[in-house]
Amino acid sequence: MVELVKNNSGKEIEAFLDYGKALVDSALSSLFLEPWAGRFGRLSESMRYSLLAGGKRIRPILSMAALSSVGHDPEPYIPLLLPLELIHTYSLIHDDLPAMDNDDLRRGKPTNHVVFGDATAILAGDALLTYAFTILSDPRYDELSSEKVRLAVVRELSHGSGLAGMVGGQMLDMESEGRRISLEDLEFLHRHKTGALILSSVRIGALLGEAGASEFNSLDQYGESVGVAFQIADDLLDVEGDAATLGKAAQKDNNHLKNTYPALLGIDGAKKMAKEKLEAALDAVSGLGEKADHLRGIARYIIERRN
């Protein structure tokens, strides 16, 4: 385990992000060493293609940081954080399909359906989603985390990724295309589409770390603010970034006539709101001391990132 950062310098948070990503990437690769993986040929290949295509692994790393903030070494918990990345990856595969966003590029590579076809891409997403809960219910983790705690994690993850979270938010996003909505409605949409799984990531770290009521409340408020900040940053990147840096098409939101924070507030207004959400996130964990430095660094990274 790397030492907790003593301040918020960019280099130190980058070290933690690199450390977390390396652990998560290694654990994700090991999933496909299971004997069953080779029995399903093209489907396993499709799952592996998207799951191991790269990505920042922000969601499991947020869980790691939350675990650190309540005094736990996050490394032993990595297997129980992989479901966050499985579900995030499944959502990207399905988002890219012709029936949804119809994207040809993801993380600098052809999207799953372009390589494997629509039907295999749909099944790969389905398999990643359900495999997430296979992991969380695996009795091999009984000594690491009690069944009661893991059941709470299952509930949190299913809530954050389902009807009342990511999936419901995606539907709202599609229904709002081509028509102007209010800022209040946009926030509601993105608190579900993007923010819900970000919030769940933080809350899952708190659950696994058996945080006290006050700690949990602080982390909950942090997750709410960071989830919105993440989406604002994404919207700004779509306007200001380029495909080579982003690893996906730029100006996509405008082309799809989507409602975004820059479209409603202007670029300067969106940046101001992102800063406000950052300050709210930092304030939420102000009482957790140095143990929350990773959370503070990640919040800053989220609004300063370039891809």
Side-chain angles (χ1 to χ4, degrees), residues 30-31 34-36 79-83 130-151 153-154 208:
S30 72
L31 291 178
E34 299 282 357
W36 56 261
L80 297 180
L81 307 184
L82 299 185
T130 49
Y131 191 24
F133 297 102
T134 300
I135 292 172
L136 286 174
S137 58
D138 194 324
R140 81 177 78 177
Y141 301 119
D142 285 352
E143 292 185 8
L144 178 62
S145 183
S146 70
E147 290 182 359
K148 181 180 179 180
V149 168
R150 296 206 320 280
L151 181 60
V153 171
V154 166
L208 289 172

mmCIF file of all heavy atoms in Angstrom, residues 30-31 34-36 79-83 130-151 153-154 208:
data_model
loop_
_atom_site.group_PDB
_atom_site.id
_atom_site.type_symbol
_atom_site.label_atom_id
_atom_site.label_comp_id
_atom_site.label_asym_id
_atom_site.label_seq_id
_atom_site.Cartn_x
_atom_site.Cartn_y
_atom_site.Cartn_z
ATOM 1 N N SER A 30 -7.266 -10.865 -14.137
ATOM 2 C CA SER A 30 -7.315 -12.200 -13.527
ATOM 3 C C SER A 30 -8.706 -12.818 -13.585
ATOM 4 O O SER A 30 -8.846 -14.038 -13.467
ATOM 5 C CB SER A 30 -6.843 -12.135 -12.072
ATOM 6 O OG SER A 30 -7.805 -11.486 -11.252
ATOM 7 N N LEU A 31 -9.736 -11.994 -13.792
ATOM 8 C CA LEU A 31 -11.093 -12.539 -13.881
ATOM 9 C C LEU A 31 -11.208 -13.543 -15.017
ATOM 10 O O LEU A 31 -11.975 -14.494 -14.946
ATOM 11 C CB LEU A 31 -12.105 -11.411 -14.112
ATOM 12 C CG LEU A 31 -12.352 -10.420 -12.977
ATOM 13 C CD1 LEU A 31 -13.337 -9.361 -13.416
ATOM 14 C CD2 LEU A 31 -12.852 -11.133 -11.734
ATOM 15 N N GLU A 34 -10.393 -17.606 -14.972
ATOM 16 C CA GLU A 34 -11.336 -18.621 -14.496
ATOM 17 C C GLU A 34 -11.580 -19.657 -15.606
ATOM 18 O O GLU A 34 -11.627 -19.311 -16.792
ATOM 19 C CB GLU A 34 -12.673 -17.971 -14.104
ATOM 20 C CG GLU A 34 -12.559 -16.955 -12.972
ATOM 21 C CD GLU A 34 -12.448 -17.605 -11.613
ATOM 22 O OE1 GLU A 34 -12.523 -18.842 -11.542
ATOM 23 O OE2 GLU A 34 -12.271 -16.873 -10.627
ATOM 24 N N PRO A 35 -11.744 -20.925 -15.235
ATOM 25 C CA PRO A 35 -11.898 -21.986 -16.248
ATOM 26 C C PRO A 35 -13.045 -21.754 -17.220
ATOM 27 O O PRO A 35 -12.945 -22.117 -18.395
ATOM 28 C CB PRO A 35 -12.146 -23.240 -15.401
ATOM 29 C CG PRO A 35 -11.524 -22.937 -14.080
ATOM 30 C CD PRO A 35 -11.710 -21.468 -13.869
ATOM 31 N N TRP A 36 -14.131 -21.130 -16.749
ATOM 32 C CA TRP A 36 -15.292 -20.949 -17.619
ATOM 33 C C TRP A 36 -15.049 -19.986 -18.763
ATOM 34 O O TRP A 36 -15.716 -20.037 -19.795
ATOM 35 C CB TRP A 36 -16.500 -20.455 -16.811
ATOM 36 C CG TRP A 36 -16.239 -19.194 -16.035
ATOM 37 C CD1 TRP A 36 -15.927 -19.094 -14.722
ATOM 38 C CD2 TRP A 36 -16.253 -17.847 -16.541
ATOM 39 N NE1 TRP A 36 -15.736 -17.779 -14.373
ATOM 40 C CE2 TRP A 36 -15.934 -16.998 -15.467
ATOM 41 C CE3 TRP A 36 -16.504 -17.294 -17.791
ATOM 42 C CZ2 TRP A 36 -15.853 -15.621 -15.599
ATOM 43 C CZ3 TRP A 36 -16.410 -15.914 -17.927
ATOM 44 C CH2 TRP A 36 -16.094 -15.095 -16.836
ATOM 45 N N PRO A 79 -11.008 -6.947 -4.896
ATOM 46 C CA PRO A 79 -11.970 -7.827 -5.584
ATOM 47 C C PRO A 79 -13.412 -7.360 -5.455
ATOM 48 O O PRO A 79 -14.205 -7.515 -6.393
ATOM 49 C CB PRO A 79 -11.769 -9.183 -4.894
ATOM 50 C CG PRO A 79 -10.375 -9.134 -4.370
ATOM 51 C CD PRO A 79 -10.155 -7.710 -3.961
ATOM 52 N N LEU A 80 -13.767 -6.775 -4.314
ATOM 53 C CA LEU A 80 -15.141 -6.331 -4.096
ATOM 54 C C LEU A 80 -15.429 -4.966 -4.733
ATOM 55 O O LEU A 80 -16.573 -4.514 -4.726
ATOM 56 C CB LEU A 80 -15.442 -6.280 -2.596
ATOM 57 C CG LEU A 80 -15.371 -7.636 -1.873
ATOM 58 C CD1 LEU A 80 -15.675 -7.467 -0.393
ATOM 59 C CD2 LEU A 80 -16.330 -8.638 -2.502
ATOM 60 N N LEU A 81 -14.403 -4.335 -5.284
ATOM 61 C CA LEU A 81 -14.578 -3.063 -5.986
ATOM 62 C C LEU A 81 -14.657 -3.249 -7.496
ATOM 63 O O LEU A 81 -15.111 -2.348 -8.212
ATOM 64 C CB LEU A 81 -13.429 -2.106 -5.650
ATOM 65 C CG LEU A 81 -13.161 -1.870 -4.157
ATOM 66 C CD1 LEU A 81 -12.063 -0.834 -3.982
ATOM 67 C CD2 LEU A 81 -14.427 -1.438 -3.422
ATOM 68 N N LEU A 82 -14.256 -4.424 -7.979
ATOM 69 C CA LEU A 82 -14.298 -4.687 -9.421
ATOM 70 C C LEU A 82 -15.709 -4.584 -10.007
ATOM 71 O O LEU A 82 -15.856 -4.144 -11.153
ATOM 72 C CB LEU A 82 -13.716 -6.066 -9.735
ATOM 73 C CG LEU A 82 -12.256 -6.295 -9.352
ATOM 74 C CD1 LEU A 82 -11.798 -7.671 -9.834
ATOM 75 C CD2 LEU A 82 -11.346 -5.203 -9.894
ATOM 76 N N PRO A 83 -16.758 -4.975 -9.263
ATOM 77 C CA PRO A 83 -18.104 -4.839 -9.826
ATOM 78 C C PRO A 83 -18.437 -3.432 -10.311
ATOM 79 O O PRO A 83 -19.195 -3.266 -11.267
ATOM 80 C CB PRO A 83 -19.010 -5.263 -8.668
ATOM 81 C CG PRO A 83 -18.189 -6.298 -7.938
ATOM 82 C CD PRO A 83 -16.790 -5.743 -7.986
ATOM 83 N N THR A 130 -24.259 -8.900 -14.816
ATOM 84 C CA THR A 130 -24.618 -9.976 -13.895
ATOM 85 C C THR A 130 -23.400 -10.554 -13.183
ATOM 86 O O THR A 130 -23.498 -10.969 -12.017
ATOM 87 C CB THR A 130 -25.362 -11.097 -14.649
ATOM 88 O OG1 THR A 130 -24.630 -11.442 -15.830
ATOM 89 C CG2 THR A 130 -26.742 -10.633 -15.069
ATOM 90 N N TYR A 131 -22.237 -10.510 -13.852
ATOM 91 C CA TYR A 131 -21.022 -11.020 -13.212
ATOM 92 C C TYR A 131 -20.644 -10.164 -12.006
ATOM 93 O O TYR A 131 -20.062 -10.656 -11.033
ATOM 94 C CB TYR A 131 -19.884 -11.056 -14.238
ATOM 95 C CG TYR A 131 -18.645 -11.798 -13.802
ATOM 96 C CD1 TYR A 131 -18.685 -12.802 -12.826
ATOM 97 C CD2 TYR A 131 -17.409 -11.513 -14.380
ATOM 98 C CE1 TYR A 131 -17.549 -13.488 -12.452
ATOM 99 C CE2 TYR A 131 -16.267 -12.197 -14.009
ATOM 100 C CZ TYR A 131 -16.342 -13.171 -13.040
ATOM 101 O OH TYR A 131 -15.200 -13.846 -12.667
ATOM 102 N N ALA A 132 -21.001 -8.885 -12.049
ATOM 103 C CA ALA A 132 -20.725 -8.005 -10.915
ATOM 104 C C ALA A 132 -21.340 -8.556 -9.632
ATOM 105 O O ALA A 132 -20.716 -8.554 -8.562
ATOM 106 C CB ALA A 132 -21.272 -6.610 -11.202
ATOM 107 N N PHE A 133 -22.549 -9.064 -9.723
ATOM 108 C CA PHE A 133 -23.237 -9.556 -8.528
ATOM 109 C C PHE A 133 -22.810 -10.980 -8.168
ATOM 110 O O PHE A 133 -22.914 -11.384 -7.012
ATOM 111 C CB PHE A 133 -24.748 -9.422 -8.727
ATOM 112 C CG PHE A 133 -25.161 -7.983 -8.873
ATOM 113 C CD1 PHE A 133 -25.453 -7.450 -10.119
ATOM 114 C CD2 PHE A 133 -25.195 -7.144 -7.771
ATOM 115 C CE1 PHE A 133 -25.788 -6.110 -10.264
ATOM 116 C CE2 PHE A 133 -25.530 -5.810 -7.902
ATOM 117 C CZ PHE A 133 -25.826 -5.284 -9.146
ATOM 118 N N THR A 134 -22.306 -11.713 -9.140
ATOM 119 C CA THR A 134 -21.699 -13.009 -8.840
ATOM 120 C C THR A 134 -20.499 -12.813 -7.924
ATOM 121 O O THR A 134 -20.310 -13.557 -6.943
ATOM 122 C CB THR A 134 -21.250 -13.710 -10.141
ATOM 123 O OG1 THR A 134 -22.373 -13.920 -10.981
ATOM 124 C CG2 THR A 134 -20.595 -15.057 -9.845
ATOM 125 N N ILE A 135 -19.693 -11.805 -8.224
ATOM 126 C CA ILE A 135 -18.514 -11.527 -7.398
ATOM 127 C C ILE A 135 -18.919 -11.131 -5.990
ATOM 128 O O ILE A 135 -18.398 -11.655 -4.996
ATOM 129 C CB ILE A 135 -17.665 -10.413 -8.042
ATOM 130 C CG1 ILE A 135 -17.034 -10.909 -9.347
ATOM 131 C CG2 ILE A 135 -16.575 -9.937 -7.077
ATOM 132 C CD1 ILE A 135 -16.335 -9.825 -10.149
ATOM 133 N N LEU A 136 -19.854 -10.201 -5.867
ATOM 134 C CA LEU A 136 -20.230 -9.695 -4.548
ATOM 135 C C LEU A 136 -20.863 -10.764 -3.660
ATOM 136 O O LEU A 136 -20.794 -10.675 -2.436
ATOM 137 C CB LEU A 136 -21.183 -8.507 -4.702
ATOM 138 C CG LEU A 136 -20.548 -7.206 -5.167
ATOM 139 C CD1 LEU A 136 -21.613 -6.164 -5.430
ATOM 140 C CD2 LEU A 136 -19.541 -6.692 -4.139
ATOM 141 N N SER A 137 -21.479 -11.770 -4.264
ATOM 142 C CA SER A 137 -22.139 -12.817 -3.472
ATOM 143 C C SER A 137 -21.253 -14.044 -3.269
ATOM 144 O O SER A 137 -21.696 -15.025 -2.677
ATOM 145 C CB SER A 137 -23.441 -13.244 -4.163
ATOM 146 O OG SER A 137 -23.184 -13.717 -5.480
ATOM 147 N N ASP A 138 -20.010 -13.983 -3.722
ATOM 148 C CA ASP A 138 -19.103 -15.132 -3.636
ATOM 149 C C ASP A 138 -18.692 -15.379 -2.189
ATOM 150 O O ASP A 138 -18.128 -14.482 -1.540
ATOM 151 C CB ASP A 138 -17.871 -14.874 -4.498
ATOM 152 C CG ASP A 138 -17.048 -16.133 -4.744
ATOM 153 O OD1 ASP A 138 -16.948 -16.969 -3.828
ATOM 154 O OD2 ASP A 138 -16.500 -16.277 -5.853
ATOM 155 N N PRO A 139 -18.936 -16.576 -1.647
ATOM 156 C CA PRO A 139 -18.601 -16.845 -0.245
ATOM 157 C C PRO A 139 -17.116 -16.808 0.066
ATOM 158 O O PRO A 139 -16.732 -16.762 1.242
ATOM 159 C CB PRO A 139 -19.176 -18.250 -0.007
ATOM 160 C CG PRO A 139 -19.345 -18.852 -1.354
ATOM 161 C CD PRO A 139 -19.635 -17.718 -2.277
ATOM 162 N N ARG A 140 -16.269 -16.802 -0.961
ATOM 163 C CA ARG A 140 -14.827 -16.733 -0.682
ATOM 164 C C ARG A 140 -14.450 -15.420 0.013
ATOM 165 O O ARG A 140 -13.367 -15.304 0.587
ATOM 166 C CB ARG A 140 -14.023 -16.908 -1.970
ATOM 167 C CG ARG A 140 -13.895 -15.673 -2.828
ATOM 168 C CD ARG A 140 -13.043 -15.873 -4.056
ATOM 169 N NE ARG A 140 -13.770 -16.573 -5.093
ATOM 170 C CZ ARG A 140 -13.266 -16.821 -6.303
ATOM 171 N NH1 ARG A 140 -12.038 -16.429 -6.595
ATOM 172 N NH2 ARG A 140 -13.990 -17.446 -7.209
ATOM 173 N N TYR A 141 -15.349 -14.425 -0.049
ATOM 174 C CA TYR A 141 -15.046 -13.129 0.560
ATOM 175 C C TYR A 141 -15.679 -12.967 1.940
ATOM 176 O O TYR A 141 -15.677 -11.853 2.492
ATOM 177 C CB TYR A 141 -15.494 -12.001 -0.374
ATOM 178 C CG TYR A 141 -14.816 -12.074 -1.724
ATOM 179 C CD1 TYR A 141 -15.561 -12.230 -2.893
ATOM 180 C CD2 TYR A 141 -13.432 -12.036 -1.828
ATOM 181 C CE1 TYR A 141 -14.943 -12.317 -4.133
ATOM 182 C CE2 TYR A 141 -12.799 -12.133 -3.062
ATOM 183 C CZ TYR A 141 -13.570 -12.279 -4.214
ATOM 184 O OH TYR A 141 -12.949 -12.381 -5.439
ATOM 185 N N ASP A 142 -16.211 -14.056 2.499
ATOM 186 C CA ASP A 142 -16.862 -13.973 3.807
ATOM 187 C C ASP A 142 -15.917 -13.461 4.895
ATOM 188 O O ASP A 142 -16.338 -12.726 5.797
ATOM 189 C CB ASP A 142 -17.411 -15.340 4.222
ATOM 190 C CG ASP A 142 -18.676 -15.714 3.461
ATOM 191 O OD1 ASP A 142 -19.204 -14.853 2.738
ATOM 192 O OD2 ASP A 142 -19.127 -16.873 3.570
ATOM 193 N N GLU A 143 -14.647 -13.862 4.835
ATOM 194 C CA GLU A 143 -13.702 -13.441 5.869
ATOM 195 C C GLU A 143 -13.277 -11.987 5.689
ATOM 196 O O GLU A 143 -12.874 -11.338 6.647
ATOM 197 C CB GLU A 143 -12.475 -14.355 5.869
ATOM 198 C CG GLU A 143 -12.771 -15.775 6.329
ATOM 199 C CD GLU A 143 -11.515 -16.620 6.445
ATOM 200 O OE1 GLU A 143 -10.401 -16.048 6.310
ATOM 201 O OE2 GLU A 143 -11.638 -17.835 6.665
ATOM 202 N N LEU A 144 -13.351 -11.491 4.480
ATOM 203 C CA LEU A 144 -12.978 -10.106 4.201
ATOM 204 C C LEU A 144 -14.083 -9.147 4.608
ATOM 205 O O LEU A 144 -13.825 -8.093 5.216
ATOM 206 C CB LEU A 144 -12.673 -9.935 2.709
ATOM 207 C CG LEU A 144 -12.315 -8.528 2.225
ATOM 208 C CD1 LEU A 144 -11.039 -8.039 2.900
ATOM 209 C CD2 LEU A 144 -12.160 -8.519 0.709
ATOM 210 N N SER A 145 -15.310 -9.514 4.296
ATOM 211 C CA SER A 145 -16.453 -8.652 4.585
ATOM 212 C C SER A 145 -17.669 -9.533 4.840
ATOM 213 O O SER A 145 -17.926 -10.476 4.098
ATOM 214 C CB SER A 145 -16.704 -7.719 3.390
ATOM 215 O OG SER A 145 -17.757 -6.835 3.654
ATOM 216 N N SER A 146 -18.424 -9.221 5.868
ATOM 217 C CA SER A 146 -19.549 -10.063 6.259
ATOM 218 C C SER A 146 -20.631 -10.078 5.182
ATOM 219 O O SER A 146 -20.723 -9.170 4.345
ATOM 220 C CB SER A 146 -20.151 -9.559 7.566
ATOM 221 O OG SER A 146 -20.820 -8.326 7.371
ATOM 222 N N GLU A 147 -21.465 -11.121 5.234
ATOM 223 C CA GLU A 147 -22.583 -11.202 4.293
ATOM 224 C C GLU A 147 -23.502 -9.993 4.432
ATOM 225 O O GLU A 147 -24.032 -9.482 3.438
ATOM 226 C CB GLU A 147 -23.375 -12.496 4.530
ATOM 227 C CG GLU A 147 -22.628 -13.758 4.122
ATOM 228 C CD GLU A 147 -23.466 -15.000 4.340
ATOM 229 O OE1 GLU A 147 -24.614 -14.863 4.822
ATOM 230 O OE2 GLU A 147 -22.987 -16.095 4.023
ATOM 231 N N LYS A 148 -23.683 -9.523 5.671
ATOM 232 C CA LYS A 148 -24.553 -8.376 5.908
ATOM 233 C C LYS A 148 -24.022 -7.138 5.203
ATOM 234 O O LYS A 148 -24.785 -6.397 4.558
ATOM 235 C CB LYS A 148 -24.678 -8.117 7.408
ATOM 236 C CG LYS A 148 -25.585 -6.941 7.758
ATOM 237 C CD LYS A 148 -25.671 -6.729 9.259
ATOM 238 C CE LYS A 148 -26.566 -5.534 9.600
ATOM 239 N NZ LYS A 148 -26.645 -5.319 11.078
ATOM 240 N N VAL A 149 -22.729 -6.907 5.313
ATOM 241 C CA VAL A 149 -22.126 -5.740 4.670
ATOM 242 C C VAL A 149 -22.194 -5.886 3.156
ATOM 243 O O VAL A 149 -22.552 -4.938 2.440
ATOM 244 C CB VAL A 149 -20.670 -5.555 5.149
ATOM 245 C CG1 VAL A 149 -19.947 -4.527 4.271
ATOM 246 C CG2 VAL A 149 -20.642 -5.102 6.603
ATOM 247 N N ARG A 150 -21.891 -7.071 2.644
ATOM 248 C CA ARG A 150 -21.905 -7.258 1.196
ATOM 249 C C ARG A 150 -23.319 -7.157 0.635
ATOM 250 O O ARG A 150 -23.514 -6.690 -0.497
ATOM 251 C CB ARG A 150 -21.259 -8.596 0.814
ATOM 252 C CG ARG A 150 -19.788 -8.636 1.191
ATOM 253 C CD ARG A 150 -18.926 -9.553 0.372
ATOM 254 N NE ARG A 150 -19.484 -10.817 0.020
ATOM 255 C CZ ARG A 150 -19.545 -11.889 0.836
ATOM 256 N NH1 ARG A 150 -19.079 -11.802 2.074
ATOM 257 N NH2 ARG A 150 -20.052 -13.027 0.405
ATOM 258 N N LEU A 151 -24.309 -7.548 1.411
ATOM 259 C CA LEU A 151 -25.689 -7.374 0.976
ATOM 260 C C LEU A 151 -26.022 -5.885 0.861
ATOM 261 O O LEU A 151 -26.694 -5.451 -0.082
ATOM 262 C CB LEU A 151 -26.648 -8.050 1.959
ATOM 263 C CG LEU A 151 -28.142 -7.951 1.607
ATOM 264 C CD1 LEU A 151 -28.432 -8.607 0.250
ATOM 265 C CD2 LEU A 151 -28.989 -8.611 2.703
ATOM 266 N N VAL A 153 -23.853 -3.621 0.153
ATOM 267 C CA VAL A 153 -23.130 -3.190 -1.043
ATOM 268 C C VAL A 153 -23.922 -3.549 -2.299
ATOM 269 O O VAL A 153 -24.037 -2.751 -3.236
ATOM 270 C CB VAL A 153 -21.717 -3.803 -1.080
ATOM 271 C CG1 VAL A 153 -21.046 -3.538 -2.433
ATOM 272 C CG2 VAL A 153 -20.860 -3.246 0.047
ATOM 273 N N VAL A 154 -24.486 -4.761 -2.320
ATOM 274 C CA VAL A 154 -25.324 -5.183 -3.454
ATOM 275 C C VAL A 154 -26.493 -4.228 -3.631
ATOM 276 O O VAL A 154 -26.806 -3.802 -4.754
ATOM 277 C CB VAL A 154 -25.830 -6.627 -3.257
ATOM 278 C CG1 VAL A 154 -26.954 -6.949 -4.237
ATOM 279 C CG2 VAL A 154 -24.690 -7.623 -3.424
ATOM 280 N N LEU A 208 -17.977 -0.844 3.086
ATOM 281 C CA LEU A 208 -16.972 -1.884 3.324
ATOM 282 C C LEU A 208 -16.070 -1.521 4.495
ATOM 283 O O LEU A 208 -15.601 -2.397 5.225
ATOM 284 C CB LEU A 208 -16.138 -2.092 2.059
ATOM 285 C CG LEU A 208 -16.856 -2.766 0.883
ATOM 286 C CD1 LEU A 208 -15.987 -2.725 -0.372
ATOM 287 C CD2 LEU A 208 -17.231 -4.214 1.223
#
